[in-house]
């Protein structure tokens, strides 16, 4: 199936229905957020299917982090609500893993101890999770660094540790806030591929925030485009590219058509 | 890390020896009377011959310094925790602490004598008061997490307040707490000595004052040498512990400026 301009759903309120999805894992229902006088989000409405890789794409300052933090239960909406499974989100949940723009590792903890932090905080059985942590570190090529301190790692390695930390508790949902934007372009491409590999294995529901059009198109099943102030969802694009995806897909015409579609959606919003 | 020979401060030692030699030569050449300025060799003789007197007066000074310092560490960290977690205290009390640290604390010594008479309580209290402020201020800075994402991460993984304190704020504060302790220990020595100047019958401060009154300048300088050695040793212990506790930092944390004693 090739993408057409019509793939942009101009009425995001119906995006779930349009996508023909079964039970949504996350529902964002008419969520608005204001910081004092600043209206950060205006009536965001979308749903994410179980196991779906969704990207939220938009220029910086448009409210992507705000939206993601509301899904994580770290920030309360001014109005509207977020529902995960059947439960209203009113605070942090044990079944969500979060990855931030910076790895936010604790410098006094080794790689392994950092990965185990959520396990400690949630009082989960240690043995089983150490094993799981080891597996994750192996998959992300960090095995030999398990006992190193973060300062001994490169930026890309640190962010991989923070992804392992998010996955160690086997969350249903993985929230990622521009996790690769502080990395150089080459590392960033590698990390994207690695993330997809992990996602093929674990099949989490992912909400991935980015301001990179190519990154969104490469990773996602679906991309939501957010416009500048007042931040609303201006487009909802399904990315029908085959998986597993390799970097070479970025050379293909279908991929570049998606990139154009997304860029047009952003620029259309800029124009007015 | 074991100290290697090349890590030893060779140049400062060379300069110090040179200084002492010049001092010795000047006293010898101009026949300066020991009451005015004893030669280093005469101070050394006083150290060797009067070690029992010096030791007798060293012990109370050492004990009160450690006591006052320990109180300031416990009290300083305690108040810092309160200020960190209570918005009322942060807005009401903390600015007062920051401003009052400018007050020269030793000027309050006579008041302590009025209240508590001379001796142990006054000395300990003055040492505590002088050493307290850098502890509070450093610990408050240390307990504050600048990186908002770090706190969000901890909350996202369901960390309780207590877990966040123990696993994040406290280790984060350790470099600052040690920086504060290094300032505080030096100030605690000053606090005790000043208290002993004005209100004591024992201690190195008392001995310095007494030997001055007796025109026994060699003993006075010997007391100062012992006092300096004590201060250096206490500082060294803290610096040694710091290296072991804060293993994750290759460069030492920012040190806050010392408050006026
Ligand atoms: N804690 C806050 N207080 C006030 N304004 C904020 C706060 N956090 C974000 N904002 C504002 O809300 C808007 C959206 O911010 P954010 O969600 O961080 O955007 P993005 O992640 O897309 O860059 C910005 O204009 C920002 O200045
Ligand atoms: Mg952001």
């Amino acid at each position: 199936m090739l993408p057409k301009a019509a793939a942009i759903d101009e009425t995001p309120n119906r995006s779930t229905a349009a996508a023909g999805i079964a039970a949504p894992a996350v529902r964002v229902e008419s969520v608005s957020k204001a910081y004092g006088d600043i209206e950060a989000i205006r009536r965001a409405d979308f749903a994410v299917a179980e196991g779906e890789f969704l990207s939220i794409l938009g220029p910086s300052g448009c409210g992507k982090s705000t939206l993601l933090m509301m899904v994580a239960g770290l920030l309360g909406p001014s109005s509207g609500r977020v529902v995960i499974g059947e439960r209203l989100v009113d605070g942090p949940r044990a079944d969500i893993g979060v990855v931030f723009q910076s790895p936010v590792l604790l410098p006094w903890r080794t790689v392994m101890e950092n990965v185990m932090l959520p396990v400690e905080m949630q009082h989960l059985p240690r043995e089983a999770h150490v094993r799981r942590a080891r597996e994750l570190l192996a998959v992300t090529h960090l095995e030999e660094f398990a006992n190193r301190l973060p300062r001994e790692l490169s930026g890309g390695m640190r962010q991989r540790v923070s992804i392992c930390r998010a996955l160690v508790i086997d969350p249903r949902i993985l929230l990622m806030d521009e996790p690769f934007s502080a990395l150089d372009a080459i590392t960033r491409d590698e990390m994207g591929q690695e993330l997809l590999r992990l996602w093929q294995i674990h099949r989490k529901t992912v909400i991935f925030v980015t301001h990179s059009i190519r990154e969104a198109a490469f990773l996602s099943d679906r991309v939501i485009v957010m416009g500048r102030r007042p931040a609303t969802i201006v487009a909802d694009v399904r990315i029908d590219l085959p998986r597993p995806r390799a970097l070479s897909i970025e050379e293909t015409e279908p991929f570049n058509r998606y990139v154009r579609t997304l860029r047009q959606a952003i620029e259309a919003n800029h124009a007015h | 890390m074991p100290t290697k020979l090349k890590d030893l401060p060779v140049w400062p030692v060379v300069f110090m020896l040179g200084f002492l030699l010049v001092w010795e030569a000047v006293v010898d050449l101009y026949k300066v009377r020991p009451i005015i300025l004893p030669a280093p060799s005469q101070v050394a003789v006083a150290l060797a011959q009067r070690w029992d007197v010096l030791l007798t007066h060293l012990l109370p000074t050492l004990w009160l310094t450690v006591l006052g310092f320990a109180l300031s560490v416990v009290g300083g960290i305690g108040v810092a925790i309160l200020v960190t977690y209570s918005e009322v205290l942060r807005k009401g009390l903390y600015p007062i602490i920051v401003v009052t640290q400018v007050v020269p604390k030793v000027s309050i010594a006579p008041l302590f004598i009025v209240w508590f008479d001379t001796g142990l309580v006054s000395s300990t209290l003055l040492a505590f008061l002088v050493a307290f402020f850098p502890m509070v201020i450093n610990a408050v800075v240390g307990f504050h997490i600048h990186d908002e994402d770090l706190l969000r991460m901890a909350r996202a993984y369901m960390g309780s307040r207590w877990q966040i304190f123990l696993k994040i704020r406290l280790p984060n504060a350790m470099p600052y707490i040690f920086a504060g302790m290094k300032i505080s220990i030096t100030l605690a020595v000053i606090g005790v000595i000043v208290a002993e100047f004005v209100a004591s019958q024992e201690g190195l401060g008392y001995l310095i004052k007494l030997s001055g009154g007796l025109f026994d300048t060699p003993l006075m300088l010997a007391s100062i040498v012992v006092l300096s050695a004590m201060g250096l040793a206490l500082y060294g212990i803290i610096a040694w512990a710091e290296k072991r506790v804060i293993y994750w930092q290759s460069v030492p944390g920012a040190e806050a400026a010392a408050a006026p004693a």
Side-chain angles (χ1 to χ4, degrees), chain B residues 24-180:
Chain B
E24 185 81 36
V26 166
V27 169
D28 196 48
L29 197 66
Y30 295 100
K31 305 274 180 282
V32 181
R33 285 186 304 152
I35 291 180
I36 306 298
L37 182 68
S41 59
Q42 289 167 306
V43 176
V45 168
L47 272 171
Q49 287 178 347
R50 314 285 288 280
W51 63 268
D52 52 340
V53 181
L54 289 163
L55 190 65
T56 311
H57 289 280
L58 164 68
L59 289 178
T61 303
L62 177 62
W63 162 233
L64 293 183
T65 301
V66 171
L67 189 64
F69 168 72
L71 286 175
S72 78
V73 171
V74 172
I77 292 175
V79 169
I81 291 172
L82 292 177
V83 165
T84 302
Y85 283 100
S86 158
E87 200 178 331
V88 174
L89 291 180
R90 184 165 58 251
K91 285 186 173 159
L93 181 66
Y94 189 56
I96 296 174
I97 292 177
V98 172
V99 171
T100 47
Q101 72 157 339
V102 179
V103 175
K105 265 76 67 181
V106 296
S107 64
I108 304 172
L111 188 62
F112 285 168
I113 296 161
V114 172
W115 288 348
F116 305 108
D117 209 350
T118 59
L120 189 139
V121 179
S122 300
S123 303
T124 311
L125 216 58
L126 195 60
F128 163 77
L129 193 68
V130 164
F132 173 73
F133 289 86
M135 273 321 298
V136 185
I137 286 161
N138 274 280
V140 166
V141 173
F143 286 136
H144 180 76
I145 306 291
H146 289 278
D147 187 351
E148 203 176 326
D149 278 348
L150 184 54
L151 285 178
R152 282 176 169 174
M153 182 276 289
R155 287 204 294 129
Y157 293 124
M158 320 269 301
S160 64
R161 269 184 153 211
W162 173 240
Q163 285 174 323
I164 291 176
F165 176 77
L166 213 62
K167 292 177 196 291
I168 295 176
R169 288 192 198 273
L170 190 60
N172 186 72
M174 284 323 281
Y176 297 89
I177 287 175
F178 269 102

Side-chain angles (χ1 to χ4, degrees), chain A residues 35 38 40 59-66 177-178 229:
Chain A
Y35 294 107
I38 304 169
S60 48
C62 77
K64 304 181 297 295
S65 297
T66 301
D177 190 359
E178 304 197 36
R229 211 166 284 189

Side-chain angles (χ1 to χ4, degrees), chain A residues 179-256:
Chain A
F180 308 145
S181 63
L183 304 174
D184 62 273
I186 294 167
T187 311
R188 190 172 179 154
D189 281 346
E190 285 171 12
M191 296 288 290
Q193 287 172 282
E194 195 148 324
L195 176 63
L196 280 191
R197 222 157 40 74
L198 268 173
W199 181 73
Q200 302 285 7
I201 302 169
H202 297 283
R203 280 288 166 173
K204 306 291 175 198
T205 306
V206 179
I207 304 182
F208 186 100
V209 162
T210 180
H211 60 240
S212 158
I213 296 171
R214 298 189 78 86
E215 192 174 58
F218 176 71
L219 295 172
S220 320
D221 293 324
R222 206 175 121 216
V223 179
I224 286 176
V225 181
M226 282 180 71
R228 267 194 225 281
R229 211 166 284 189
T232 50
I233 297 170
V234 297
D236 189 333
V237 182
R238 178 150 291 279
I239 310 288
D240 269 316
L241 293 172
R243 290 190 190 269
R245 294 176 192 168
L247 263 189
S248 56
I249 205 169
E250 298 202 357
E251 317 298 320
T252 66
E253 183 46 31
F255 177 86
N256 284 300

Side-chain angles (χ1 to χ4, degrees), chain A residues 69 74 92-94 98 100 102 104 106-109 117-118 120-123 149 151 165-166 169, chain B residues 147 149-160 163-164 167-169 171-172 247-250:
Chain A
M69 291 307 116
L74 293 168
R93 299 163 53 107
V98 188
F100 296 88
S102 68
V104 285
L106 302 178
W108 48 86
R109 284 180 169 240
L117 183 74
E120 287 173 32
M121 285 187 164
Q122 294 171 23
H123 304 289
L149 292 173
R151 70 153 198 252
R165 179 179 60 194
I169 46 173
Chain B
D147 187 351
D149 278 348
L150 184 54
L151 285 178
R152 282 176 169 174
M153 182 276 289
R155 287 204 294 129
Y157 293 124
M158 320 269 301
S160 64
Q163 285 174 323
I164 291 176
K167 292 177 196 291
I168 295 176
R169 288 192 198 273
N172 186 72
Y247 55 87
W248 63 89
Q249 269 188 347
S250 41

